[in-house]
Amino acid sequence: MRAMSTSLPQLPSITLHDLQGFITASGLPKFRAKQIIQWRNKGVLNPDNMGNIPKNIRELVNDKLCCQPISLTDKQCSEDGTRKYLFTLKSGKSIETVLIPEQERGTVCLSSQVGCVLDCPFCHTGTQKFEANLTAGEIIAQVLAVKEDLRQNPMQEGLHNHVTHLVYMGMGEPMANEAGVHQSLAMLMSEEGLHLSRRRITVSTSGLTPQIKHLGEEYPVNLAVSLHSAINAERDILVPINIKYPLEVLRDCLNAYPLAHQRHITLEYLLLDDINDRDEDIQALLNFINPERERINLIRFNPYPNSPYSGTPTERMNSFAKALISKGIRATVRRSRGQDIMAACGQLKSSKAIIS
Ligand code: SF4
């Protein structure tokens, strides 16, 4: 009987060396492994669609590997080109991935967990209980599935049609799934994998400082931190991991994080009406930030049904940004994308749950 596919090595994350092992152990030529990896890196995971691979090798790959650890269940396209995908894992659980196309780049926002181990009260994913860490194969498969979708359904004119950047900013706390995230980074950055530069990958975390340190040592990609407040008492509520790793600990950790040339750490700041958008919040932020190494990304709150918060009005948002900029801080207001398809993380999954 065939073993459970989830326990098989996964094609999206397998190394060339290991694939060569499977192929040569069956007395088949080693060079086929390289051909399969080339298909894989293009986004083709179904061996039956690998044109130059003979049938006996396709069957072997199908038998020995879990080729498609995720399958597309739903896709929604926004008027602005943003695409939101709902994937189902072999376990039956579902995750979301978002493609954010711009003129010069295509960014994929990846999920790293089903649900989230943390419980930030403003976050829609936080309302869904933690179910599982994703494997490296399930993380990489999200990138490959988007590549395949772009090949089959090219982006509208004026928007980039390739995956150029990755952000680990979807469902889950990436730093609470170190094994899956590190292994996926190894493959995504390797020459035999997608060969993406560290400058094109961003890991976003709520501030698990020991894991941020490991990331800097092993895979020093761009770092984004969900700050949301620079006042401990306030951040303890908004980002509860702050109780364990308060702002002083986070400060030391960020100062030590290795940055690529001319790169900055991004401090994400979701503006919530009358919660963290007051004058004292601006002052605390000015006291916290290290302007040489960090910049602030102000985010408009993407409301979802029954959310306990509302977003800061535009006028206040602009004055908040101006107050920071006038003190020499790099601050930008992130444009909200895909609002017509509820593109904030966790929202497609929940809307499907409401419908079904
Ligand atoms: S904001 Fe991030 S860390 Fe917090 S609950 Fe949501 S997904 Fe988890």
Side-chain angles (χ1 to χ4, degrees):
M1 208 177 91
R2 198 180 152 162
M4 279 276 293
S5 49
T6 42
S7 62
L8 296 173
Q10 297 180 332
L11 179 57
S13 54
I14 198 165
T15 62
L16 178 61
H17 178 265
D18 287 353
L19 187 56
Q20 282 169 339
F22 280 115
I23 303 251
T24 53
S26 304
L28 296 163
K30 196 174 167 183
F31 76 93
R32 295 292 185 192
K34 207 164 195 174
Q35 290 178 319
I36 292 167
I37 292 289
Q38 281 166 353
W39 282 110
R40 187 268 313 267
N41 291 347
K42 278 188 207 165
V44 178
L45 289 176
N46 182 350
D48 293 338
N49 296 333
M50 299 178 179
N52 56 356
I53 306 296
K55 192 160 177 268
N56 59 333
I57 300 184
R58 281 189 260 141
E59 282 170 359
L60 175 83
V61 172
N62 253 328
D63 205 41
K64 298 275 186 210
L65 303 181
C66 170
C67 294
Q68 300 178 80
I70 63 173
S71 54
L72 184 63
T73 312
D74 191 27
K75 182 175 103 175
Q76 295 182 2
C77 301
S78 163
E79 283 171 3
D80 66 16
T82 303
R83 293 181 187 176
K84 185 156 181 164
Y85 305 86
L86 185 70
F87 294 110
T88 304
L89 312 181
K90 294 287 180 194
S91 60
K93 302 178 196 315
S94 48
I95 53 162
E96 295 174 7
T97 307
V98 180
L99 165 66
I100 305 146
E102 291 167 90
Q103 235 176 340
E104 309 287 337
R105 60 165 73 185
T107 304
V108 178
C109 180
L110 300 168
S111 290
S112 55
Q113 297 183 316
V114 184
C116 184
V117 277
L118 303 181
D119 197 12
C120 307
F122 57 83
C123 170
H124 202 242
T125 299
T127 64
Q128 298 160 18
K129 71 174 175 40
F130 171 72
E131 293 184 74
N133 280 326
L134 298 190
T135 62
E138 289 162 342
I139 296 172
I140 300 163
Q142 296 170 60
V143 185
L144 298 174
V146 175
K147 285 183 79 149
E148 177 66 355
D149 181 45
L150 282 172
R151 221 161 53 86
Q152 308 254 355
N153 307 291
M155 189 51 69
Q156 63 215 49
E157 210 170 312
L159 294 173
H160 206 72
N161 199 48
H162 295 281
V163 175
T164 60
H165 292 72
L166 302 177
V167 292
Y168 286 70
M169 243 180 230
M171 294 169 67
E173 163 54 65
M175 293 292 86
N177 177 14
E178 259 191 317
V181 167
H182 280 209
Q183 206 196 330
S184 66
L185 286 170
M187 179 55 78
L188 292 164
M189 293 164 75
S190 75
E191 231 170 287
E192 67 173 65
L194 296 198
H195 205 189
L196 282 164
S197 144
R198 66 183 268 211
R199 301 171 69 89
R200 291 176 173 235
I201 302 178
T202 301
V203 169
S204 175
T205 173
S206 54
L208 281 77
T209 54
Q211 288 82 357
I212 293 174
K213 185 166 177 278
H214 299 164
L215 184 73
E217 288 160 358
E218 304 278 331
Y219 302 100
V221 293
N222 300 318
L223 186 70
V225 175
S226 302
L227 188 68
H228 308 321
S229 172
I231 299 172
N232 269 324
E234 206 169 272
R235 193 165 188 266
D236 284 350
I237 297 168
L238 291 177
V239 190
I241 197 69
N242 193 69
I243 298 168
K244 193 164 181 190
Y245 305 117
L247 289 163
E248 313 75 72
V249 176
L250 182 62
R251 176 74 278 144
D252 290 345
C253 172
L254 298 187
N255 286 348
Y257 192 82
L259 292 178
H261 182 57
Q262 292 191 324
R263 285 292 149 131
H264 295 89
I265 294 170
T266 303
L267 303 180
E268 306 281 0
Y269 200 104
L270 183 72
L271 278 163
L272 301 169
D273 191 21
D274 216 19
I275 300 283
N276 61 356
D277 61 355
R278 302 153 308 162
D279 289 347
E280 65 214 74
D281 294 302
I282 298 175
Q283 195 48 53
L285 200 44
L286 288 169
N287 295 343
F288 179 79
I289 193 170
N290 177 349
E292 301 296 315
R293 289 172 47 88
E294 294 160 9
R295 63 179 181 195
I296 295 180
N297 197 359
L298 299 171
I299 307 165
R300 193 181 294 280
F301 183 60
N302 223 347
Y304 57 87
N306 304 322
S307 138
Y309 296 105
S310 46
T312 296
T314 303
E315 208 178 305
R316 177 67 188 149
M317 208 160 168
N318 292 339
S319 64
F320 197 100
K322 268 191 202 149
L324 296 172
I325 293 166
S326 70
K327 299 288 180 196
I329 307 295
R330 292 180 191 82
T332 47
V333 178
R334 192 201 288 171
R335 198 155 54 96
S336 193
R337 300 290 303 265
Q339 257 187 319
D340 52 331
I341 55 167
M342 295 172 75
C345 74
Q347 296 193 349
L348 180 60
K349 183 176 170 181
S350 292
S351 67
K352 289 297 281 187
I354 291 163
I355 293 162
S356 55

